[in-house]
Structure formats: C-alpha cells, structure tokens
Amino acid sequence: MKKAIITVVGKDKVGIIAGICTFLAKEHVNILDITQTIVDGYFNMMMVVDLAGMVGNFNELQSELGKLGEGLGVMASVQLEEIFERMHRL
Amino acid sequence: MADFKEFLETNSMINSQNLDVRTITMGISLLDCIDNDIEKLCNNIYTKITTKALNLVEVGKQIEREYGIPIVNKRISVTPIALIGAAACKGPEDFVKIAKALDDSAKATGVNFIGGYSALCSKGMTKADNDLINSIPEALAVTERVCSSINVASTKHGINMDAVALLGRKIKEAAVKTAHGDSYGCSKLVVFCNAPDDNPFMAGAFCGVTEADCVINVGVSGPGVVKKALEEAKGQSFEGLCETIKKAAFKITRVGQLVAKEAAERLNASFGIVDLSLAPTPAVGDSVAEILEEIGVSTAGAPGTTFALAILNDQVKKGGVMASSFVGGLSGAFIPVSEDHGMIEAVEKGALTLEKLEAMTCVCSVGLDMIAIPGDTEDTTISGIIADEMAIGMVNQKTTAVRIIPVIGKKVGDMANFGGLLGYAPVMPVNKFSCAALIERGGRVPAPIHSFKN
C-alpha cells in the first residue's frame, strides 16, 4: 500500500466530489477514507488514498489532478502520507 | 486511522506559517581531485562535482512535489580549498582559478551557492592558507555563487590573531571590489570559531575532512511555526512556553529527517546530519525577532532579549534532538540582521545595536551575521569585532562567526541591499574608539584552560 493524502479546497458547487472521484477511479487510485465540510460556502475535502495500483506515475497524477481542480474551480493537491506520519507519530 | 486534524496542522504549517526545508546541501570530498597541475586540478574538481551533484536539484524538486514541502535551496559544500589547492597553487591567482571552477560547477548543476572556498587555520597558516585568504576579495568579485569561510579560532587551539588581522584587511578589500553592489562580496564570507564540518547553511558551509565522500546535510527552518505555536500559548509560564517550543521544534525536525533520508537514498550519498536551525527570511511571519517578541520583549534588542534567545535556542535543540537520528551543523536560532525583517525594524527603531547583537551571540548558534557597517570602518576595527566574537566562541566552547559588510560609500542609517536571498540591512553604527594597537600585536592566543581535557 502506498498511502497519499488528497486535499481539495475552493468555492462550493455541484460536482466537485463526483469529478475528483471519477478521475481517481479512472487512474485506479483507491479511496480509503474521506472527510468533507463546507464552511462559509467554502468546500473542504481530504481523502486518504492508496496509490499502489495507479495507472501512471506520481508526477502525472499530481499534474492531472491539479488541472482537473482548475477546471472545477478548486485547488486540488496530492502528497505522500509519510510526511504527516513522520511529523506526528513516534 | 487517518487523523485529518494532523493533515490540516501540517498543511497549515507549510501554507501559512512558512514551514520549509531551507536547504539540502550535498557535501562532496575533493581530496581525490588533488593534482600539482592547476589546470588538471580544476578539471578534476569540475568533473567530480558535476558527476556527484548531477541529480541534486532534480531530486530536491521531486521530494518537494511528493511531500508537498518546499525545499528552498539546493547547495553544495566541498573540502576546504586551501587543502585541495595546496600542491597546485603557486599564489593567490591560482586559487582564483579554482574559485571559477567551483562557480562553473555550481552553475552546471543548478545550485544557487557552493561553499568551501575555505581555510582552517585556528593555530597557524600554511602558505596555501595565506594565499587563499589573500585571493578571497578577487575570488568573491569574479564569481557569483562561491562562498568562503575561514576558521581562525577554536576552543582546542586558541585564536590565530595573524589571520584575524589579515581578514580585517581582506573584508575591506572584498567590500571595495564589490562596491558597485553594496559590497555584497562580504556577504559571502564568514569568519568562524569552532566551525562545524557538516554545516549545510551558507555562507559557512564546507565539507570537513572528517566526512564521507558524498554526504547529504539538511537544514530545516520554521520560525513561523514556532511563533504560531507561541501565539496559542499566550499567558503561560516559562514551563508551558518551553514545552510549546520543544513540540514545535520536534515536528519541524521530523520533516527534515524525512527529507534528509529520502535525499540521501535517492542520490546514493550518506545521510549526514539534520541541522535544527531556525533560519529566518525577510518574509513577514518567518522571523526569529518575531518569536522573541512573542516571548515577551516589545522589540528585539530590548532588555530580556538575550534571555529570550537563550531559552529559544535551548528548547529548539531539546525538541529537535529526539526527532533526528543525527543532529549537527549549527543547530539553533540564527540572528542575521539583513535576512530577518523583525531585526531590520529593530535596528531602524534604534532598539538593536551591534553590542546587543554581540551579547546575543553568546547564547545563539551562530554569531554576528549579515550586519552592514559604514564603509569607512577601519580594518583594525573589523578585526577587533572578529576577535571579540572569536573569544566568545573559544571560551564558551561554541560555534561563533562574523559575517559583516562594510558598505563602501554608505554611512549610518543608509540602507544596503545585497539582492535576493541575502536581503537588505540598515547600516549600523560601530564604536569609534580604536583597537589598532591590539590587532598589531599579531601572533596567536594560546588555547584556553578548559581545552585541556585529556
């Protein structure tokens, strides 16, 4: 398993989750956990995903996800989970 | 179990509190490049650096992308050039040829600085040490990315006052040679006491002879993270304050450890150390002075500043040490004037003086750093400032350094701008009374009594 965190932030509208999830399914990225809130009209979503079976490489996924986010009017980024684990866990 | 709060905390450190890895510095040993023919030597140096550091910048960028943590600088440090050039260099002009080879290697690999145009002469100077020091003004003027450092003192060996006197003159010469750019040459020259072999930070980085052939040293930063944590600990006693700083330092250092290990593995180099320094930048929210203010002084330089800095430095080390398997370099809080907007403001307000900065260097990890002084300051006065700082390092068994810039053509209150990463600084007043007779004595100061530990 190669865990990563996807963060999506931006103005709320119809189809953000659908857009991101469809893209991830196409890339064979498995979603392990999701949290999503809306504060003052701003959409905020974090996902824990597994990149082990992904179709392309990390750089391609990152760049495609960024472009998809732009299209949806949100900021979407992906980071490997290890940075969070190292910072907060002994 | 995923903890989304932790994800948010980390990303807010990166996005709004300026958490970054300040530098990945590759230390490269040039001992196997030595030749008695200067042209061959320069070729060997260029080939070795460009081979070892071929992927340094790209690997740094890739780690940045994968973990979402900015890695601001990718740099190289090399074995002190006085050792490497001793057999080939007939005089200072030959050393300048090596400086150019280093500059070319830096440009070819894409790093923004290369350190190690250095000599270690805390006890005595060889002809090569002397020639290298004499070549510094020219070398720093004709190159763009080369940084120079000279170790003139240590707790083990005392202070080489001949070198201190010589460097007072060379700093002035370097200032004159780069007078067109506010004497920026001097911003690439550090005079050390107890210089560490594994420092990743410029301008003082070199790859000591105790190091492996190719080693990765990482400097973390994050004054903004510490400041934010302290904002949330407002009103707490010193116990709470210290705990807060330690926890923030721990988290910052863990990121450094991750990046250092990844970089070493991908670059096929040894993992050297993580340097736990709080290195400020001129950006708002990235300032050590702001942390001191958060601790409780109204502005850096006010009474209590040395105390606050001492606490900060100690807690950063305590928090960081457990977070990394190897800690080294300078490790502590940096107090450069030109690279910290809070320090700049404190100087402009008249709250922070050269003398207070000297006191602060007794408890921080570096020394008098990036300080602009009037261009007409006497050579011997510059040597006197260096000697004071070397004495502090020698007696207190710590690293201290002087990076001071006599800005030619500028006087107290004028602003000097060194460009880009090096920032800008108001020209500070220097004590007008002479120490020429002290500097003219020459010779060397014997090692202090507490060096005899055998």
Side-chain angles (χ1 to χ4, degrees), chain A residues 53-83:
Chain A
M54 83 179 146
V55 181
N57 65 32
F58 182 89
N59 290 359
E60 288 162 5
L61 180 81
Q62 189 170 51
S63 128
E64 289 300 311
L65 183 68
K67 279 185 213 156
L68 175 70
E70 271 175 42
L72 292 166
V74 293
M75 296 257 293
S77 61
V78 55
Q79 294 160 272
L80 294 184
E81 193 227 15
E82 208 180 349
I83 187 168

Side-chain angles (χ1 to χ4, degrees), chain B residues 174-256:
Chain B
V176 171
K177 276 197 185 286
T178 50
H180 57 281
D182 279 349
S183 303
Y184 68 88
C186 300
S187 65
K188 298 184 286 179
L189 171 59
V190 188
V191 184
F192 269 117
C193 174
N194 293 324
D197 277 3
D198 50 13
N199 166 23
F201 285 102
M202 295 297 168
F206 61 85
C207 178
V209 289
T210 53
E211 299 291 309
D213 190 53
C214 183
V215 58
I216 291 295
N217 298 319
V218 163
V220 295
S221 191
V225 176
V226 175
K227 181 179 180 275
K228 182 77 177 35
L230 287 181
E231 278 171 14
E232 280 158 24
K234 252 194 183 28
Q236 288 189 17
S237 73
F238 285 104
E239 188 184 342
L241 178 94
C242 292
E243 282 301 310
T244 307
I245 300 173
K246 271 199 298 192
K247 283 181 191 158
F250 177 84
K251 290 175 183 173
I252 295 168
T253 310
R254 292 284 280 186
V255 174

Side-chain angles (χ1 to χ4, degrees), chain A residues 5 7 33-35 46-48 58-59 62 78-84 86-90, chain B residues 2-4 6-11 13 19 62 65-69 250-251 254-255 258 322:
Chain A
I5 309 301
T7 313
D33 201 349
I34 299 185
T35 177
M46 276 186 285
M47 291 172 154
V48 183
F58 182 89
N59 290 359
Q62 189 170 51
V78 55
Q79 294 160 272
L80 294 184
E81 193 227 15
E82 208 180 349
I83 187 168
F84 305 100
R86 289 296 179 92
M87 183 182 269
H88 298 281
R89 306 290 164 84
L90 279 178
Chain B
D3 189 335
F4 291 102
E6 292 175 354
F7 304 159
L8 271 178
E9 184 188 340
T10 303
N11 280 344
M13 284 181 186
L19 172 63
Q62 184 61 29
R65 277 196 289 268
E66 288 179 16
Y67 296 103
I69 176 90
F250 177 84
K251 290 175 183 173
R254 292 284 280 186
V255 174
L258 170 66
M322 194 182 153

